């Protein structure tokens, strides 16, 4: 509760300055995070994997043993050894160096595409859910938006992404736009369902009776309470977007070679698997799978932290452990 001069009044009547209140909230969030990791130790693995991948991406120019785009025909398809720890591909490029640089491309595309889709889908879904069933004009707007989302989701995601890349041209920006397009309906539907369940709450009705505008009600009362599910979806979508980026590059519709990218590395290496040279495609595939798995675990942990019922179960499991 707020007291005079912006102080925060605790339940015991003590006045705390705003900074102390913020510190208390950060401590409670930190305790909540540690509680979830203690109750579900597998979630910690997700944070370790993603942290390691991001660290490798940041430090790649300093830790990569070779230039990731320099070919050396003298070491064509060399197996893993002391000179090239993970071997070389069919152009003589060092696989370890390319794996270390690849997250710079894959994660950048995935994060930008997911963020763009969330920036469009979350507010649009909140507006659609808030106005659904109201006046005729607003109801018509909601119906049109939802039917457009149905049309987008009617197409196979991968085929739709390939079509978008074909329209906009083969580049990183095209892949970002494709990922944003295919993810927008996910956040739109998710936020709509959340807002529909929240807009009938008494505190929303009280804000409306108090004279708050629709924008103020959405911003202050509905979005803060509906955003948790979308935040959990963000991590899952980043992992899925990394996979989609790799898939587009695998079929030749993603980033332009020889840019280090896991999907294109798998595509150029899988042809040699039948002749015994498995390392050009297996190692990038393992890196891709671990990254997607890590983001999925983080998404699950955020979902647990946002759900009081699951949080209670995790707390009991942690105490029992």
């Amino acid at each position: 509760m707020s007291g005079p001069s912006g102080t925060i009044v605790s339940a015991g009547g003590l006045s705390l300055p705003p900074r102390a209140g913020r510190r208390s909230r950060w401590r409670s969030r930190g305790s909540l995070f540690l509680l979830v990791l203690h109750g579900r130790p597998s979630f910690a693995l997700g944070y370790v994997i993603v942290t390691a991948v991001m660290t490798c991406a940041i430090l790649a120019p300093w830790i990569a043993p070779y230039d990731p785009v320099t070919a050396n025909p003298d070491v064509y398809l060399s197996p893993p050894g002391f000179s090239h720890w993970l071997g070389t591909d069919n152009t003589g490029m060092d696989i370890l160096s390319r794996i270390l640089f690849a997250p710079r491309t894959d994660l950048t595309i995935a994060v930008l595409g997911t963020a763009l889709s969330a920036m469009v889908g979350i507010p649009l879904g909140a507006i659609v859910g808030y106005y659904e069933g109201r006046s005729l004009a607003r109801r018509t707007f909601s119906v049109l938006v939802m039917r457009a989302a149905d049309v987008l989701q009617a197409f196979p995601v991968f085929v739709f992404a390939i079509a978008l890349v074909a329209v906009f041209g083969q580049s990183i920006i095209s892949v970002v736009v494709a990922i944003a397009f295919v993810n927008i309906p996910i956040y739109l539907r998710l936020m709509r369902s959340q807002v529909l369940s929240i807009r009938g709450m008494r505190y929303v009705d009280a804000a409306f009776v108090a004279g708050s505008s629709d924008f103020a009600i959405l911003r202050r009362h509905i979005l803060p309470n509906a955003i948790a599910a979308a935040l959990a979806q963000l991590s899952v979508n980043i992992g899925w977007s990394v996979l989609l980026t790799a898939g587009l590059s695998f079929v030749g519709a993603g980033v332009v070679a020889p840019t280090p990218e896991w999907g294109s590395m798998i595509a150029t290496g899988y042809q040699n698997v039948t002749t015994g040279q498995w390392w050009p495609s297996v190692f990038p595939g393992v890196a891709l799978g671990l990254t997607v798995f890590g983001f999925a675990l983080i998404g699950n942990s955020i979902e647990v932290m946002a759900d009081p019922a699951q949080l209670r179960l995790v707390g009991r499991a942690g105490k029992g452990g």
Side-chain angles (χ1 to χ4, degrees):
M1 185 173 63
S2 298
S5 303
T7 58
I8 298 176
V9 181
S10 65
L14 298 176
S15 296
L16 300 174
R19 288 184 179 179
R22 285 195 292 269
R23 285 197 298 268
S24 177
R25 286 195 295 271
W26 278 111
R27 288 195 199 101
S28 65
R29 290 169 185 168
S31 301
L32 185 66
F33 178 72
L34 293 176
L35 173 66
V36 171
L37 293 187
H38 180 67
R40 299 276 180 85
S42 60
F43 289 161
L45 179 61
Y47 289 94
V48 170
I49 292 173
V50 172
T51 301
V53 170
M54 295 179 67
T55 301
C56 289
I58 294 171
L59 301 179
W62 295 276
I63 63 177
Y66 297 92
D67 190 320
V69 295
T70 299
N72 184 3
D74 294 333
V75 291
Y76 167 82
L77 285 177
S78 293
F82 290 108
S83 298
H84 300 274
W85 289 2
L86 300 184
T88 60
D89 59 16
N90 53 12
T91 63
M93 289 187 284
D94 182 67
I95 293 174
L96 175 59
S97 300
R98 289 177 63 77
I99 286 177
L100 292 174
F101 272 88
R104 292 188 154 208
T105 302
D106 286 302
L107 290 182
T108 298
I109 292 174
V111 170
L112 289 178
T114 303
L116 182 59
S117 63
M119 289 171 61
V120 176
I122 288 176
L124 191 58
I127 293 172
V128 168
Y130 183 75
Y131 286 133
E132 186 167 311
R134 301 294 175 91
S135 65
L136 178 60
R138 294 171 175 175
R139 187 164 60 248
T140 301
F141 169 76
S142 299
V143 170
L144 290 175
V145 172
M146 294 310 299
R147 295 298 76 80
D150 290 339
V151 172
L152 285 178
Q153 291 190 306
F155 291 95
V157 172
F158 194 70
V159 175
F160 185 55
I162 292 177
L164 287 174
V165 172
V167 171
F168 292 106
Q170 189 177 358
S171 66
I172 290 178
I173 295 177
S174 300
V175 180
V176 170
V177 172
I179 289 175
F181 262 98
V182 299
N183 280 331
I184 284 174
I186 296 175
Y187 293 100
L188 173 63
R189 291 184 176 280
L190 184 62
M191 285 301 297
R192 171 183 170 272
S193 63
Q194 292 291 315
V195 172
L196 283 175
S197 63
I198 291 175
R199 70 175 187 178
M201 296 291 183
R202 290 183 178 179
Y203 61 85
V204 176
D205 293 335
F208 180 78
V209 171
S212 298
S213 64
D214 290 342
F215 177 77
I217 292 174
L218 280 168
R219 182 174 61 86
R220 297 176 184 174
H221 303 289
I222 292 182
L223 277 177
N225 291 289
I227 200 71
L231 293 179
Q233 187 65 34
L234 274 174
S235 179
V236 176
N237 271 128
I238 290 175
W240 180 85
S241 298
V242 170
L243 194 60
L244 179 60
T245 302
L248 290 173
S249 298
F250 182 84
V251 300
V255 298
V256 180
T259 304
E261 197 280 325
W262 287 325
S264 62
M265 293 175 67
I266 297 171
T268 57
Y270 86 97
Q271 303 171 4
N272 303 108
V273 173
T274 55
T275 57
Q277 291 84 21
W278 49 269
W279 53 89
S281 60
V282 169
F283 289 126
V286 171
L288 173 63
L290 283 175
T291 302
V292 175
F293 179 63
F295 277 109
L297 287 177
I298 291 178
N300 290 339
S301 70
I302 296 174
E303 184 178 359
V304 169
M305 285 187 283
D307 188 342
Q310 293 191 55
L311 196 58
R312 283 193 294 270
L313 293 176
V314 170
R316 294 194 193 104
K319 291 178 181 178

